[in-house]
């Protein structure tokens, strides 16, 4: 059981990656098709057509360095506490760092589809590991520290259900990206709507997870338990804060896609860093000082192998 959560998360992320390997090229092709339909190419590069701006190498280097530092700290926490169930968090942070380091090369080779796809895959997919960590933490917290009956969903199944939901919604987006490559206007519009629906469903899914967490907190308080007086107390605000940061990113991505390829958010790099990169970084960095293993005390009499 100690490796099950990690292996399950890894398997679902691999499935998501396979879907993304189709989604990203399809999305690029769709945006190129729109660009060519609206105007002559005029020598525009992949970066200019997709982003409509030149990515900053300095900011990408800073972001990559910060995620690399966070990854090192989280790996140290994971190994020092032998909390193998949480490996998805530092691995996701490391992949995010690699994505930003690859992004540095974009301005030098703006027509490299390989560089573009690699950095997009890593930056878009890595946050799935962050969400998975919160799902796993929720399940272990409710099962080990409080009454499992507090949860609407069996705590041991939360990670399975929500990670599966995330992968499913990403595959829906992949299908929409495929439809957008069509030259038929109605099919293209349908593809855009499918992609937006997939992203919106992902945001709704995570919102449901937050509501699930709030329900548990309400039940804890209703039973007269004060989290601040319990050894597991720091887990509650840390999980809420981290989830709130991740939700900012979900909302940003939904609005960005809703505006279309030429929308304000998609064509201004600053919002990508302010509303995506930064909230995600804050959301994972909070676990460096408040690593959950320090507070996950077993209350239910589970065997030590479950700890």
């Amino acid at each position: 059981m100690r490796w099950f959560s990690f292996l399950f998360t890894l398997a679902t992320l691999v499935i998501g990656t396979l879907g993304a390997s189709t989604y990203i090229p399809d999305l690029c092709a769709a945006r190129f098709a729109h660009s060519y339909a609206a105007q002559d190419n005029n020598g525009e590069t992949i970066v200019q057509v997709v982003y409509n701006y030149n990515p900053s190498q300095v900011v990408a280097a800073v972001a990559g360095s910060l995620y690399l530092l966070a990854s090192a700290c989280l790996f140290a926490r994971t190994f020092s506490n032998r909390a193998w169930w949480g490996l998805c968090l530092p691995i996701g942070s490391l992949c995010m760092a690699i994505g930003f380091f690859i992004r540095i090369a974009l301005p030098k080779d703006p027509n490299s589809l390989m560089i573009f796809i690699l950095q997009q895959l890593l930056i878009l997919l890595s946050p799935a590991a962050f969400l998975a960590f919160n799902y796993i933490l929720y399940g272990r917290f409710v099962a080990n520290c409080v009454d499992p009956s507090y949860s609407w969903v069996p705590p041991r199944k939360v990670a399975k259900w929500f990670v599966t939901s995330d992968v499913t919604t990403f595959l829906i987006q992949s299908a929409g990206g495929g439809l957008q490559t069509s030259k038929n206007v109605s099919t293209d519009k349908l593809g855009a709507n499918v992609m937006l629906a997939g992203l919106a469903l992902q945001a709704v899914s995570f919102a449901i997870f937050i509501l699930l967490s709030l329900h548990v907190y309400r039940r804890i308080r209703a039973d007269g338990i004060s989290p601040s007086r319990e050894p597991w107390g720091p887990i509650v605000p840390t999980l809420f804060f981290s989830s709130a940061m991740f939700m900012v990113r979900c909302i940003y991505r939904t609005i960005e896609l809703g505006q279309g390829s030429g929308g304000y958010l998609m064509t201004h790099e600053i919002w990508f860093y302010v509303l995506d990169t930064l909230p995600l970084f804050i959301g994972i960095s909070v676990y460096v000082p408040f690593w959950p293993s320090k507070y996950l005390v077993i209350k239910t009499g589970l065997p030590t192998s479950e700890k």
Side-chain angles (χ1 to χ4, degrees):
M1 288 297 295
R2 105 176 23 174
W3 285 95
F4 178 77
S5 297
F6 170 67
L7 292 176
F8 174 79
T9 302
L10 179 62
T12 51
L13 289 178
V14 168
I15 295 173
T17 302
L18 293 176
S21 64
T22 300
Y23 163 67
I24 297 299
D26 284 349
L27 182 57
C28 293
R31 291 183 184 173
F32 271 115
H34 294 163
S35 176
Y36 282 121
Q39 60 184 39
D40 293 330
N41 188 34
N42 294 326
E44 286 188 312
T45 64
I46 293 175
V47 171
Q48 290 172 331
V49 170
V50 177
Y51 288 150
N52 199 28
Y53 61 76
N54 291 319
S56 171
Q57 293 177 299
V58 174
V59 180
V62 171
S65 299
L66 288 174
Y67 273 97
L68 184 61
L69 177 61
S71 176
C73 293
L74 292 169
F75 268 121
R77 285 293 199 181
T78 302
F79 283 98
S80 64
N81 290 277
R82 299 180 65 82
W84 314 124
W85 60 268
L87 271 173
C88 57
L89 190 62
I91 290 176
S93 182
L94 178 60
C95 290
M96 196 80 164
I98 295 173
F100 280 112
F101 288 139
I102 294 175
R103 188 181 176 91
I104 296 173
L106 270 182
K108 294 182 178 179
D109 196 357
N111 267 323
S112 173
L113 187 59
M114 180 60 68
I115 292 176
F116 178 82
I117 289 176
L118 283 175
Q119 61 93 28
Q120 281 285 83
L121 278 174
L122 290 168
I123 292 174
L124 286 177
L125 276 182
S126 297
F130 306 159
L131 302 187
F133 179 85
N134 278 14
Y135 302 151
I136 296 170
L137 175 58
Y138 169 92
R140 298 180 74 86
F141 165 66
V142 175
N144 293 350
C145 302
V146 295
D147 192 338
S149 66
Y150 288 171
S151 179
W152 282 326
V153 179
R156 296 297 186 186
K157 294 183 179 180
V158 167
K160 298 177 186 178
W161 289 11
F162 281 97
V163 170
T164 301
S165 172
D166 287 344
V167 171
T168 301
T169 55
F170 201 90
L171 292 177
I172 291 174
Q173 295 172 58
S174 175
L179 290 173
Q180 275 198 292
T181 61
S182 172
K183 295 181 180 180
N184 183 284
V185 176
S186 60
T187 303
D188 173 80
K189 185 177 181 180
L190 174 62
N193 291 333
V194 169
M195 284 182 62
L196 181 59
L199 201 54
L201 286 172
Q202 186 178 44
V204 169
S205 175
F206 194 64
I208 292 174
F209 169 74
I210 293 178
L211 289 176
L212 196 66
S213 303
L214 288 171
H215 173 71
V216 170
Y217 177 73
R218 186 184 67 82
R219 289 291 305 275
I220 290 173
R221 298 294 297 182
D223 278 359
I225 301 173
S226 176
S228 61
R229 297 180 180 179
E230 299 292 334
W232 45 259
I235 291 179
V236 177
T238 303
L239 179 61
F240 283 156
F241 179 77
S242 175
S243 297
M245 290 296 99
F246 296 162
M247 193 64 196
V248 170
R249 190 256 188 180
C250 290
I251 295 173
Y252 159 73
R253 283 293 183 182
T254 303
I255 296 175
E256 178 196 43
L257 188 59
Q259 291 181 346
S261 59
Y264 182 80
L265 291 177
M266 192 172 290
T267 56
H268 291 77
E269 188 178 27
I270 184 173
W271 299 117
F272 162 65
Y273 284 106
V274 172
L275 298 176
D276 186 304
T277 306
L278 183 59
L280 289 175
F281 176 74
I282 294 174
I284 64 173
S285 296
V286 71
Y287 287 116
V288 175
F290 299 104
W291 183 251
S293 288
K294 298 192 299 180
Y295 312 109
L296 281 173
V297 293
I298 292 179
K299 177 182 177 181
T300 56
L302 295 173
T304 56
S305 62
E306 291 287 312
K307 187 173 181 179

